[in-house]
Amino acid sequence: MTPDAIKQVRASYAAITATPRQLAARFYQELFSAAPSLRPLFPGDLTELQGHFEAALALVIRNLDDVQALREPLRDLGAQHVHWGARPEDYVTARDSLVAAVGALSPAWTPALEEHWRSAVTAIIVPMLEGAAVHTALAAERLAGEHET
Ligand code: HEM
């Protein structure tokens, strides 16, 4: 992402999250309307999760100019998500739901800003998916090792 695109994403993020939990609430609403089958994977009360989600997002948005720094923590988050039942295709749904949520809450939404947000969220989900893949590969390796002994 260009420095200008990062600046625009940060500005729109700051405007939306001036009202805490607004973005997370809208995100889950968009996600469950796009994919109702995902709802049972989540706790009934989303209040706590909304806080965690916004905190994670805030950290990433702050570090968009150095996404490498967050690669490891995002990989760990992706590995955790394997246990919560997140499948690769769900990440695309989640990305599109998040972009839709930001769009719905941004007064000055433009096709360019939408594209910048799509890039930003893609930069989050790629390491998460890598983490899920590594997690699965390590499980396979452990099993293979067991077989050898
Ligand atoms: C943009 C991508 C995503 C981000 C940034 C994200 C972020 C998070 C964070 C920060 C947590 C809380 C972790 C904790 O409490 O320690 C969480 C939990 C969770 N996420 Fe995601 N997530 C993403 C995509 C997904 C997808 C695609 C699914 C699909 C099923 C998913 C399902 C869950 C579930 C089920 C939980 C745990 C709920 C519980 O506490 O039982 N997430 N996520």
Side-chain angles (χ1 to χ4, degrees):
M1 292 180 77
T2 64
D4 186 54
I6 291 174
K7 211 166 120 187
Q8 288 183 41
V9 166
R10 282 189 180 141
S12 66
Y13 184 78
I16 295 167
T17 50
T19 309
R21 297 186 196 281
Q22 175 180 229
L23 178 58
R26 183 67 189 230
F27 164 66
Y28 288 112
Q29 195 184 316
E30 296 280 347
L31 183 67
F32 300 145
S33 103
S37 63
L38 295 182
R39 182 63 185 93
L41 302 178
F42 291 83
D45 180 357
L46 294 171
T47 316
E48 203 178 318
L49 190 57
Q50 284 172 0
H52 289 178
F53 183 81
E54 282 199 357
L57 211 52
L59 188 67
V60 178
I61 302 295
R62 212 178 303 137
N63 286 280
L64 269 184
D65 42 9
D66 184 16
V67 281
Q68 284 308 316
L70 287 179
R71 196 156 178 222
E72 277 312 310
L74 284 173
R75 281 183 162 201
D76 289 346
L77 187 63
Q80 276 181 295
H81 274 72
V82 174
H83 298 287
W84 290 324
R87 299 162 304 175
E89 60 270 31
D90 299 328
Y91 281 92
V92 179
T93 312
R95 180 193 61 184
D96 295 348
S97 301
L98 184 51
V99 174
V102 176
L105 298 169
S106 298
W109 194 235
T110 61
L113 191 53
E114 178 169 357
E115 204 39 54
H116 298 331
W117 265 97
R118 199 177 304 282
S119 301
V121 184
T122 301
I124 299 172
I125 64 174
V126 166
M128 286 181 73
L129 276 166
E130 285 171 357
V134 169
H135 181 78
T136 305
L138 285 174
E141 225 167 77
R142 270 195 304 275
L143 271 180
E146 237 173 62
H147 183 70
E148 274 162 23
T149 52

